[in-house]
Amino acid sequence: MSDLLERLRARGWRMTSQRRVVAQVLDGDHTHLTADEVHARSARLLPEISRATVYNTLGELVSLGEVIEVSTDGRAKRYDPNAHHPHQHLVCASCGMIRDVHPTGDPLADLPAQERFGFTVSEAEVTYRGLCPACA
Amino acid sequence: MSDLLERLRARGWRMTSQRRVVAQVLDGDHTHLTADEVHARSARLLPEISRATVYNTLGELVSLGEVIEVSTDGRAKRYDPNAHHPHQHLVCASCGMIRDVHPTGDPLADLPAQERFGFTVSEAEVTYRGLCPACA
DNA sequence: TCTTGACTGAGACTCTGTCCATCGTAGGAT
DNA sequence: ATCCTACGATGGACAGAGTCTCAGTCAAGA
């Protein structure tokens, strides 16, 4: 993640203080922040940063593949900086907490051709739901 | 689905024209409508039906277990009336279309105990993503 | 240093969903 | 068949998340 700024620069993107701050916030915390939380934390470092800029930057990071967008509950999307290690998510149905998990097996292999209906299937996302120790 | 009205009545629920219309809309179409689409289609049959009523009724159907709420993209929730047959979803990354699919294997079995972090895991939801024939 | 166009800020706007006070009516009671 | 009343419907206000617009700014190449 620390060389993210280099990768952005290599793509011809301008290196602004706002982008640096957003990258720093994501880099320092792996708790799947919402866009609004990213904005709040960024604003501590750079008070005048705007919501639009945070949304733009997050969108850029997602399309660059540096960050994964997770929407587990139909509410706010969350941003997962752990994009370089494939993993799935375990979500607490009560408090919404998310943990990264690494199941065995490949769900893509479980979808036979006749169940693909002509789709070009590229990805399988597994969300485990349950209660975390604190909520159980 | 056609005896949904009977099941609702058995629970002591009032049978209103609005509820009948919402059930009819869901019954007639298995394309995973959004709440707003359900409202639009209901309004064709019963022009004065309100958004709040559609949301309320959908919520009731979900808690009754007649309909499954699916949020695949962090935007609008979609409502899947095929609640009585366990299945997963295949989503087109371009147009958002959803198909029900029936993969082999059990993703819950793929999550070893040491990857559960004390959670009581009750459910695994798999979302396959790709491009549908029309968008490929 | 100058120039330029990509980036930012501010806020209005859209979309999705919820809440609330008030009105209407389904269905049991008579 | 008619009446009652609690449950459900209405519609408008509200809230949260995200997008868009456009004027102004500034990073980085010339």
Side-chain angles (χ1 to χ4, degrees):
Chain A
M1 184 80 186
S2 50
D3 48 356
L4 165 62
L5 301 183
E6 284 316 311
R7 285 196 288 271
L8 286 169
R9 197 192 304 277
R11 287 210 173 191
W13 290 8
R14 282 215 212 156
M15 203 37 53
T16 67
S17 54
Q18 290 83 352
R19 286 174 170 183
R20 254 188 291 268
V21 162
V22 170
Q24 190 179 336
V25 164
L26 286 172
D27 196 22
D29 197 304
H30 285 214
T31 60
H32 304 77
L33 301 166
T34 64
D36 221 51
E37 286 164 352
V38 172
H39 177 231
R41 298 197 184 194
S42 300
R44 283 190 220 144
L45 302 168
L46 191 66
E48 66 277 19
I49 194 170
S50 78
R51 259 171 15 103
T53 298
V54 171
Y55 275 101
N56 287 340
T57 306
L58 288 172
E60 288 157 3
L61 292 173
V62 169
S63 63
L64 185 60
E66 291 292 336
V67 161
I68 294 172
E69 206 173 61
V70 188
S71 55
T72 52
D73 60 352
R75 299 186 63 81
K77 291 174 194 162
R78 291 173 178 273
Y79 293 88
D80 178 356
N82 187 18
H84 295 303
H85 295 83
H87 61 278
Q88 307 297 347
H89 293 111
L90 173 54
V91 181
C92 175
S94 172
C95 69
M97 190 183 80
I98 303 181
R99 281 219 59 143
D100 289 350
V101 293
H102 302 82
T104 60
D106 176 14
L108 271 180
D110 289 342
L111 194 66
Q114 78 272 13
E115 278 287 316
R116 298 191 178 205
F117 303 103
F119 276 61
T120 309
V121 184
S122 53
E123 190 189 343
E125 192 184 293
V126 185
T127 304
Y128 295 94
R129 293 183 196 280
L131 292 174
C132 72
C135 293
Chain B
M1 184 75 185
S2 50
D3 49 354
L4 164 64
L5 300 182
E6 283 317 310
R7 285 196 290 269
L8 286 169
R9 196 191 305 277
R11 288 211 171 190
W13 289 11
R14 282 214 209 155
M15 204 37 54
T16 67
S17 53
Q18 290 84 353
R19 286 175 169 183
R20 254 189 289 270
V21 162
V22 170
Q24 190 180 333
V25 164
L26 286 172
D27 196 22
D29 196 306
H30 285 216
T31 60
H32 304 78
L33 301 166
T34 64
D36 219 54
E37 286 164 352
V38 173
H39 178 232
R41 297 196 185 197
S42 300
R44 283 189 220 144
L45 303 168
L46 191 66
E48 66 279 19
I49 194 170
S50 79
R51 255 169 21 101
T53 298
V54 171
Y55 276 100
N56 287 341
T57 306
L58 288 173
E60 288 156 2
L61 291 173
V62 168
S63 64
L64 185 61
E66 291 293 336
V67 161
I68 294 172
E69 207 173 61
V70 188
S71 56
T72 52
D73 60 353
R75 297 187 63 83
K77 291 174 194 161
R78 291 173 176 274
Y79 294 88
D80 179 355
N82 187 17
H84 296 303
H85 294 83
H87 61 278
Q88 307 297 348
H89 293 111
L90 172 53
V91 180
C92 176
S94 172
C95 69
M97 189 183 82
I98 302 181
R99 281 219 61 143
D100 289 350
V101 293
H102 302 82
T104 61
D106 176 14
L108 272 180
D110 289 342
L111 194 65
Q114 78 272 13
E115 278 288 315
R116 298 192 179 203
F117 304 102
F119 276 59
T120 309
V121 184
S122 54
E123 190 190 344
E125 190 184 294
V126 185
T127 305
Y128 294 94
R129 293 182 196 281
L131 291 175
C132 72
C135 292

